[in-house]
Amino acid sequence: MRIYVDSAERDAIQAALATGWVEGVTTNPTLLLRAGVQAADVPRLVRDTLAGGAREMHLQTYAEDAAGIVAEGRALAALDAVRGRVVVKILATPAGYVAARQLVARGLRVTLTAVYTVRQVILADAVGAAYVAVYLGRVRDAGGDPLALVGAMQQAIRAAGSPLAILAASVRESTEIEALALLGIATVTLPPAVLGTLLDAPATAAAAATFSRDARAIQ
């Protein structure tokens, strides 16, 4: 499983990348707003993030019409045109699917986001998207079973023999990634607060304390 940090906060991003097991970064307009990052500041954020070791960064378009999405997507991808580490995030709207097809035809990688049905996953595969982002917490808030949903999505992807990957988002508990891994989910993005709890293991901490004490005793 590839693990990402879901944030636009520079310090949080750099701390996550320093762990050695965080693959990259996902963002959206809401996260940028919370972090005080204006659209004009995005190129710098991308440069800093990629220089900090991110292997991939998902950046979301703002436009609502297909032509606007394509133009913004091309501009975002151009921020790392040589190495192609920017993935263009697009809302899974009718215009979004049209734009996704056009961007994929240009050789760009696309994430269709805010995906809530298996049908949307099938259509994402049809237009050649690389990822579908599914918001687990919001599915649960609406009374659904997010693990059952992503399990069905993953089954559809496997049945089609598709390279499409599910990007599980809106994860609120660190233990959820265990269930996601068992379902074969390829990628998960976590907010910094959840990311920071992944290594919580009292038994490991106790063992480390014992070994540290005993190591001092034999020196």
Side-chain angles (χ1 to χ4, degrees):
M1 174 182 280
R2 297 189 301 276
I3 299 173
Y4 296 70
V5 62
D6 196 29
S7 178
E9 295 279 356
R10 286 182 173 83
D11 290 347
I13 289 171
Q14 294 306 317
L17 294 173
T19 64
W21 40 263
V22 171
E23 181 87 5
V25 179
T26 60
T27 66
N28 60 47
T30 302
L31 292 175
L32 292 171
L33 179 63
R34 289 175 184 169
V37 178
Q38 297 295 309
D41 301 324
V42 169
R44 181 183 173 188
L45 178 65
V46 173
R47 288 194 300 270
D48 292 346
T49 299
L50 296 179
R55 297 179 184 89
E56 199 168 82
M57 188 170 188
H58 294 234
L59 298 172
Q60 189 164 322
T61 56
Y62 315 135
E64 297 180 2
D65 63 290
I69 295 169
V70 169
E72 289 177 1
R74 293 181 66 187
L76 292 173
L79 295 175
D80 190 51
V82 174
R83 298 186 61 181
R85 290 170 291 180
V86 169
V87 182
V88 181
K89 280 179 70 178
I90 302 172
L91 282 168
T93 61
Y97 281 98
V98 172
R101 168 65 86 179
Q102 294 180 28
L103 289 171
V104 169
R106 293 177 180 273
L108 304 183
R109 290 184 300 147
V110 167
T111 295
L112 281 163
T113 191
V115 169
Y116 291 101
T117 69
V118 176
R119 297 188 304 278
Q120 289 173 307
V121 172
I122 294 168
L123 297 178
D125 181 37
V127 298
Y131 297 91
V132 285
V134 186
Y135 300 154
L136 273 64
R138 297 184 189 181
V139 171
R140 185 174 288 111
D141 291 344
D145 182 338
L147 293 178
L149 176 61
V150 294
M153 291 174 171
Q154 186 65 31
Q155 185 176 353
I157 290 170
R158 285 175 178 156
S162 170
L164 180 64
I166 292 174
L167 173 59
S170 187
V171 176
R172 297 171 184 170
E173 300 289 340
S174 59
T175 53
E176 282 189 317
I177 75 161
E178 299 171 8
L180 291 168
L182 291 172
L183 290 170
I185 303 306
T187 50
V188 61
T189 186
L190 305 173
V194 175
L195 195 75
T197 67
L198 289 186
L199 290 177
D200 288 354
T204 302
T210 298
F211 291 142
S212 178
R213 181 195 64 212
D214 294 346
R216 290 194 299 271
I218 63 174
Q219 292 180 16

